[in-house]
Amino acid sequence: MSKRDKKDIELGKLLKQESYDAEPNQWFTHRVLHKLPAKKDKTALHMAWFFYIAAALLCIGYWMWVLFFNDNTVITVRDILYFAIAGIVTLMLTFSPIVALFRRE
């Protein structure tokens, strides 16, 4: 869906009519291509996604173990520590995509 109104369309037509027609130059493309930035390496992005998904799977596995297989009759300091760490990691994994989404806008 286009957000162009009548004035935008008229301005576009005017610019096309009044624009300067450049002469063909065989070196133009060559010079422009050499000034373009290099392609970004996406290896780091792929590795970040891999570790994010691995961490999410570990968190899901931990919470499944806590809910279904853990003995809740005795709670130790270690259990409280593990629960706190898992809660913090889970919150970070939950809110990091939301923060990244708002940072882009």
Side-chain angles (χ1 to χ4, degrees), residues 21-82:
D21 290 330
E23 298 174 3
N25 183 341
Q26 64 181 352
W27 296 104
F28 175 75
T29 305
H30 180 70
R31 286 185 306 204
V32 170
L33 286 176
H34 282 289
K35 291 185 180 187
L36 290 175
K39 279 188 169 181
K40 293 182 180 178
D41 187 16
K42 296 191 178 203
T43 305
L45 179 65
H46 294 305
M47 290 301 291
W49 272 106
F50 171 76
F51 284 114
Y52 182 83
I53 291 170
L57 290 174
L58 282 172
C59 278
I60 291 170
Y62 175 79
W63 290 115
M64 296 277 286
W65 177 77
V66 165
L67 292 174
F68 297 113
F69 303 110
N70 192 21
D71 181 23
N72 292 328
T73 56
V74 176
I75 297 175
T76 63
V77 174
R78 184 189 66 186
D79 292 337
I80 295 170
L81 182 66
Y82 286 173

